[in-house]
Amino acid sequence: MSAKNDLCIPVSEGKSEPENSQASLKEDYDFDYSQRGQWLRAAVLGATDGLVSVASLMMGVGAVKHDVRAMILTGFAGLVAGACSMAIGEFVSVYSQRDVEVAQMKRDRRNGNIDQESEKEALPNPIQAAAASAFAFMLGAIMPLLAAAFIADHKVRLGVVVATVSSALVVFGWIGAFLGRTPVIKSCLRLLVGGWMAMAITFALTKWIGSTGL
């Protein structure tokens, strides 16, 4: 009776690491970065709006007044008013969106086309969006205020404000491009040029109106 020999052939696992890395890369490509759009839009919009609007206000006042106290008070008033405006606007916008989605969910529920457990998770939170928008605005607005607060020389103060705003706009553009997986240079240049235009227009128009004696 002939003996039976079992031949065991080891299976190499050397390809597991490349396969894992390919799977991870595929998951990265398959990830829907548009899901980040809502909170990313609110955060970037709030911070950029706070930075540019308050800096432009300070540049406008600095065009006709050399007093640092006037610039700081104007910037602070812009910070408070802008944060309240952003919070209210975001609350109303998100709440309107929530009402539309709730109405759609009710129609889908009557037709049996919705999972009731995921209803609340799918709804946007207007209070959270309003708070995030206001906080982002204040975060951006505080930068030119801190930059100008401790500089006595008028021309140096204006230059420091412009330099601070430019640096912050580049950072905001890079963060937005990184999180949204969009071109970095285009995002940074778009914010930078827009901020420069806002400050330059405000400064020039205020200077012109101040020189006319109105």
Side-chain angles (χ1 to χ4, degrees):
M1 184 175 182
S2 59
K4 294 182 180 179
N5 296 327
D6 293 334
L7 182 61
C8 296
I9 301 176
V11 178
S12 174
E13 297 181 358
K15 294 184 179 180
S16 62
E17 185 174 348
E19 289 176 355
N20 289 337
S21 103
Q22 289 179 0
S24 175
L25 189 61
K26 185 177 183 300
E27 290 177 0
D28 182 67
Y29 281 117
D30 290 341
F31 182 78
D32 186 8
Y33 289 98
S34 64
Q35 295 176 357
R36 298 175 174 175
Q38 183 176 354
W39 68 266
L40 179 60
R41 177 195 63 81
V44 173
L45 176 62
T48 305
D49 192 14
L51 179 71
V52 174
S53 61
V54 170
S56 298
L57 280 172
M58 295 173 66
M59 294 294 292
V61 172
V64 294
K65 288 190 176 182
H66 293 185
D67 185 14
V68 63
R69 190 169 181 269
M71 287 185 66
I72 297 301
L73 287 176
T74 302
F76 181 76
L79 184 152
V80 176
C84 293
S85 176
M86 289 292 293
I88 294 171
E90 193 70 20
F91 181 85
V92 172
S93 175
V94 176
Y95 214 106
S96 300
Q97 178 184 351
R98 182 188 178 96
D99 289 341
V100 172
E101 293 185 8
V102 168
Q104 182 62 42
M105 285 180 177
K106 289 180 179 179
R107 289 191 292 268
D108 293 339
R109 194 185 302 119
R110 286 195 297 267
N111 297 330
N113 297 328
I114 190 171
D115 184 8
Q116 296 183 2
E117 295 181 357
S118 61
E119 284 185 349
K120 292 184 179 180
E121 297 180 359
L123 291 175
N125 189 332
I127 297 178
Q128 184 180 6
S133 183
F135 177 78
F137 185 95
M138 290 187 291
L139 181 64
I142 199 68
M143 295 181 183
L145 284 172
L146 293 177
F150 305 103
I151 301 176
D153 186 85
H154 176 66
K155 293 182 178 180
V156 175
R157 190 188 316 128
L158 294 179
V160 170
V161 169
V162 172
T164 302
V165 172
S166 300
S167 301
L169 287 173
V170 171
V171 173
F172 290 161
W174 180 86
I175 292 175
F178 176 77
L179 294 177
R181 293 296 191 272
T182 57
V184 175
I185 296 179
K186 182 184 294 186
S187 178
C188 293
L189 285 178
R190 184 166 54 238
L191 288 179
L192 195 59
V193 173
W196 285 346
M197 289 179 62
M199 290 187 290
I201 292 172
T202 306
F203 182 89
L205 287 179
T206 309
K207 186 77 172 178
W208 176 70
I209 292 175
S211 65
T212 59
L214 295 177

